Amino acid sequence: MPTITVLPHPELAPAGAVFDAPEAMSICDALLLNNIEMEHACGQVGACSTCHVVVVQGFDSLNALGDYEEDMLDQAWGLQPKSRLSCQARVNTQDLTVEIPRYSLNHAKEMP
Ligand code: FES
């Protein structure tokens, strides 16, 4: 089973995280199952960009990026060449290293 390494994020994973995830599971589901409260404002249907991650290692092993996902990614904060919507990117056979951007674009999120 591939391993996902999550780089430290000040709010969602201050110490980072390492866990296994089954093939074909979305990165977003794997994060949520491991108590990393990834935003997923559209319910993981690929219609927002709040679940944006940068796949630092293993990017090429993921399922192909679709046109629609590419369009949504254009709205993501901090877009990188290895950016994906974590709800659309599925774990394959390779280990992944994932960075969660510092901010997300979430129009629905209320300020504290
Ligand atoms: Fe909305 Fe992933 S949760 S695009």
Side-chain angles (χ1 to χ4, degrees), residues 46 48-49 51-53 59 65-86:
C48 69
S49 62
C51 68
H52 168 220
V53 295
F59 179 85
L65 183 81
D67 289 343
Y68 190 71
E69 181 182 353
E70 206 167 339
D71 288 346
M72 293 311 302
L73 271 172
D74 283 343
Q75 300 175 25
W77 184 91
L79 187 66
Q80 302 283 323
K82 293 186 175 181
S83 288
R84 291 294 303 259
L85 297 179
S86 65

Side-chain angles (χ1 to χ4, degrees), residues 28 39-51 85-88:
C28 190
E39 289 190 44
H40 50 286
C42 73
Q44 302 189 56
V45 297
C48 69
S49 62
T50 60
C51 68
L85 297 179
S86 65
C87 72
Q88 302 300 303

Side-chain angles (χ1 to χ4, degrees), residues 5-81:
T5 300
V6 181
L7 300 179
H9 180 280
E11 294 163 10
L12 300 180
V18 180
F19 50 82
D20 293 335
E23 287 177 42
M25 177 176 276
S26 74
I27 294 174
C28 190
D29 276 340
L31 293 168
L32 292 170
L33 276 173
N34 287 278
N35 303 313
I36 296 176
E37 295 301 322
M38 200 60 205
E39 289 190 44
H40 50 286
C42 73
Q44 302 189 56
V45 297
C48 69
S49 62
T50 60
C51 68
H52 168 220
V53 295
V54 179
V55 183
V56 178
Q57 183 183 13
F59 179 85
D60 292 337
S61 72
L62 299 172
N63 56 314
L65 183 81
D67 289 343
Y68 190 71
E69 181 182 353
E70 206 167 339
D71 288 346
M72 293 311 302
L73 271 172
D74 283 343
Q75 300 175 25
W77 184 91
L79 187 66
Q80 302 283 323

